[in-house]
Amino acid sequence: MPVRRLIQFITAAAAAALVLSGCSGSGGAAPVVVGEAKRGGSVTVAEVNAFSSFNPYSTDGNTDINSKIGSITHSGFYYLDDASKVVRNEKFGRFEKISDNPLKVKYTVNEGVKWSDGEAIDGGDLLLSWAAGSGYFNDADPMAGTGTTYFSTASDTSGLAGTALPELGEDRRSITLEYAVPYADWEVAFDVGLPAHVVAAKSGLNDEEDLIDLIKDSPRGDVEKPALNTALKQVGDFWNSGFDTKSLPQDPSVYLSSGPYIVRDIVPESSMKLVRNRDYTWGQEPWLDEINVRFTGGVPAAVDALRNGQADIISPQPSAETDSLFAGLAEQGNTVDRYSQSGYDHLDLNFSGPFADDDVRKAFLKAVPRKAIVDAVVGNLLPDAKPLDSHVFLPRQPKYEDAVKNNGSGDYAEVDIDGAKALLNGKTPTTRILYNRDNPKRAKAFALIRDSAARAGFQVVDAGQGNADWAKALGSGGHDAALLGWIGTGVGVSRVPQIFRTGAGSNFNGFSDGDADKAMEQLAGTTDLAKQDELLAEIDKQVWENAYGLPLYQTVGTTAYSARVAGVKPSPGPLGVWWNVWDWRLA
């Protein structure tokens, strides 16, 4: 069976939210009659990265595998299909725009929708989700180092930050958000997150009502007059890290489900078992009784798991070195789909340490062999694969070519060792690069960068960490640069300020530019797609001018699955095949 190439590209508006890209046996089912689909049974999925948090919305928990598990253990007002289109889930609840000027959106959870401990999903859950996602109470000044960020959320807060304290409905199942200014991504700006009654109890409050009162009575944060709210800080601290774990917590309240599946067991760094949530009726009914996940730690191990019948579905990102492995799978009768993802790998430089100096940053970027990295990592996986020349657009998006002509990326089109040496003027800076050491693609890119930068005079130190630890290390101070990947949903424009806005949750390297911030503020408020593209191009140029780092290449996705399963449909977004888990069934 040949490898099927489903080359897909996202629309002109880049992506609403991103997750850190991983890049990175058949269950005992009852016999199935040929031609007849039956509910029940189990499948096994191989994933490269290991699970680390039941809070995929936090800065530390925002990884691909955590988001995938979160998607099937949580339900909400909408989901995104394989074409990155918003599909409303009216079995869960409804949201409606009730006013354009000012923009008002009302969210209502249906009666009977509940957490797996039997507690209703209600206005308290909605209010907590808003408090975390809006940054409403934050009074931190990242540049001055003052104040407090209460909820360390990975997504951009600038949209919801434009809302007033929400109005809680009399039915206790609804809230209404009112925006001070129009917001381009309002349709995907908000959804239910973590259980408020659990966060309240774990934060030292008596119950959910105390949490509701705390949120309603706390003042909006004021950067000019920071004042620590101790009770809210305890809530934020638990929200930020209280759901982080590599094993199954003894307290089941920490891993409640509101979705089609519930986590039953975890073997740290090895595997996870999920079972069907029998109470779940507020979404599409799943076929399977059980889903097992194996954490393989690499592409060859994932391929071996499928070949040996230890996995039914795999979706590792391939590289030029591993491409032949998938060809062998297709020959064995497995289906192999290849597609362009809505994501990219990149090198980011910290605006501190040796790279606080603008000339040192530029010198390092001149020494990065982007073409050699693409050849070694992507190879022939994509036709005419080339280095990515934009921080905000992907190839074949309408604005990509025009942006590349004007953004300054040409300064780093070729390796320029002499130019780098001239900028260093005799300096030999020591620089530490963080990357996922267990990811062969990133390890290959690191080696190529290290060797080339050494020719210019840089002393590059390997600061790589393993699968389970590298993402959390992004927020620490133990490195000067990082190799990582982002993969977006393909909806909206909020992913740009999520990364580049001063102090944003996914701004790991301390980038700050006043003009870029102003353009991002405008971006959030415009629904005109042409104007969005203009602003995105402007931001792209400013990021390049600051020698922020380098985009390397658009990532390639590959999904392979055995003839034993049906209903598998890959998506270019961060959830990959997991977006329609309810359709998976034994074939």
Side-chain angles (χ1 to χ4, degrees), residues 25-29 42-46 271 290-294 296 302 304-314 562 564-565 586:
S26 303
S42 68
V43 302
T44 299
V45 186
S271 64
E290 182 177 290
I291 296 175
N292 295 289
V293 187
R294 292 170 55 94
T296 62
D304 285 345
L306 180 59
R307 180 184 294 116
N308 298 331
Q310 296 173 322
D312 303 296
I313 305 168
I314 65 173
S562 74
R564 183 176 174 270
V565 295
L586 299 179

Side-chain angles (χ1 to χ4, degrees), residues 342-493:
S342 54
Y344 62 105
D345 265 32
H346 49 105
L347 170 72
D348 297 350
L349 308 184
N350 289 357
F351 283 72
S352 59
F355 290 133
D357 186 322
D358 184 70
D359 281 344
V360 176
R361 290 199 308 278
K362 290 178 179 178
F364 195 80
L365 299 187
K366 285 181 176 293
V368 174
R370 288 199 298 156
K371 180 64 166 59
I373 292 172
V374 171
D375 290 344
V377 174
V378 182
N380 295 321
L381 294 176
L382 285 180
D384 302 320
K386 298 176 181 177
L388 182 63
D389 287 323
S390 172
H391 287 279
V392 303
F393 296 107
L394 291 176
R396 299 199 184 182
Q397 289 180 339
K399 190 67 176 178
Y400 178 80
E401 296 295 339
D402 286 342
V404 168
K405 292 176 183 177
N406 301 304
N407 62 12
S409 58
D411 292 345
Y412 308 101
E414 303 289 341
V415 174
D416 182 4
I417 299 299
D418 290 338
K421 287 181 175 180
L423 287 168
L424 288 177
N425 194 26
K427 298 177 184 175
T428 58
T430 297
T431 59
R432 302 160 297 171
I433 299 183
L434 172 68
Y435 65 99
N436 183 352
R437 190 175 284 157
D438 293 329
N439 180 333
K441 291 172 32 173
R442 303 257 172 84
K444 173 68 75 174
F446 166 77
L448 289 168
I449 292 171
R450 177 198 60 204
D451 294 346
S452 184
R455 295 167 53 208
F458 286 95
Q459 322 253 345
V460 178
V461 176
D462 186 336
Q465 301 210 28
N467 263 335
D469 302 310
W470 75 272
K472 185 169 287 192
L474 282 168
S476 70
H479 61 279
D480 305 302
L483 282 165
L484 63 154
W486 288 121
I487 182 165
T489 62
V491 177
V493 294

Side-chain angles (χ1 to χ4, degrees), residues 8-16 83-85 341-342 392-400 488-493 495 529 532-533 536 554 572:
Q8 304 174 22
F9 298 92
I10 62 176
T11 56
S84 300
K85 296 289 173 49
Q341 293 183 310
S342 54
V392 303
F393 296 107
L394 291 176
R396 299 199 184 182
Q397 289 180 339
K399 190 67 176 178
Y400 178 80
T489 62
V491 177
V493 294
R495 70 97 171 169
L529 295 181
Q532 285 180 355
D533 279 348
L536 287 168
Q554 182 178 10

Side-chain angles (χ1 to χ4, degrees), residues 203-239:
S203 305
L205 301 175
N206 291 323
D207 52 30
E208 184 177 315
E209 287 301 316
D210 278 358
L211 178 56
I212 292 174
D213 290 341
L214 174 63
I215 292 173
K216 290 171 64 176
D217 295 340
S218 295
R220 182 192 284 268
D222 185 346
V223 174
E224 300 298 324
K225 299 178 181 178
L228 180 63
N229 185 327
T230 304
L232 192 64
K233 180 71 162 54
Q234 290 179 306
V235 171
D237 286 348
F238 184 79
W239 189 96

Side-chain angles (χ1 to χ4, degrees), residues 24 48 296-308 314 316-317 319 321-322 325-326 329 438 440:
S24 30
V48 172
T296 62
V299 175
V303 171
D304 285 345
L306 180 59
R307 180 184 294 116
N308 298 331
I314 65 173
Q317 286 189 357
S319 66
E321 292 180 345
T322 61
L325 298 176
F326 294 95
L329 287 177
D438 293 329

